[in-house]
Amino acid sequence: MKTVALIPARGGSSRIPGKNIRDFCGHPLIAYTIQTAKNANCFENIYVSTNDTETAAIAHKYGASVILRPDEISRNDSTDYEWVVHALDHISILDGKKPEFYCILRPTSPFRQVSTIIWGLSL
């Protein structure tokens, strides 16, 4: 069964500009989420959904695939539904099918543990 990680990381935070790629203890904040997803060893792929080219470059550097999303679904008032549908459509075009399961991992949780991901997927 195909399971993927989806990491939302739009480039337009109004409260903390560039928060997803800001340095946090020597690495961009988003790097911790990508690495924990990799360490969980339960995802066929890890996708970062972003509208920001700098975020995309950092995501690639840390080993994630990138889905570039349009600005119209990357606003402060955009819903998770919008970017998730966009990401799943993109994945099905690339891979020929949608994943059976996906896990949304927000990049603003750098202390998330592998065990938490595995526990969540087991539910």
Side-chain angles (χ1 to χ4, degrees):
M1 98 185 74
K2 182 175 179 149
T3 304
V4 300
L6 298 177
I7 303 171
R10 67 184 185 87
S13 175
S14 56
R15 289 180 286 178
I16 304 173
K19 71 179 173 192
N20 296 316
I21 57 174
R22 280 211 174 169
D23 181 77
F24 181 73
C25 298
H27 296 281
L29 184 61
I30 195 170
Y32 295 93
T33 296
I34 294 168
Q35 189 59 53
T36 303
K38 289 168 68 175
N39 291 346
N41 203 32
C42 57
F43 299 113
E44 280 191 41
N45 209 335
I46 300 162
Y47 295 96
V48 171
S49 172
T50 188
N51 63 322
D52 180 64
T53 56
E54 189 175 1
T55 301
I58 289 169
H60 275 298
K61 176 182 176 186
Y62 283 89
S65 298
V66 173
I67 298 171
L68 289 174
R69 64 172 132 147
D71 287 333
E72 58 266 17
I73 61 170
S74 301
R75 299 181 319 265
N76 278 342
D77 62 348
S78 295
T79 65
D80 282 344
Y81 179 80
E82 292 172 292
W83 74 262
V84 169
V85 167
H86 178 266
L88 294 177
D89 287 346
H90 182 83
I91 293 167
S92 67
I93 290 169
L94 288 177
D95 299 346
K97 65 177 184 169
K98 289 184 182 178
E100 293 178 65
F101 299 99
Y102 60 91
C103 182
I104 297 172
L105 302 173
R106 306 231 180 251
T108 51
S109 297
F111 301 115
R112 176 191 304 107
Q113 299 292 310
V114 167
S115 59
T116 305
I117 292 172
I118 294 170
W119 173 77
L121 287 172
S122 74
L123 294 176

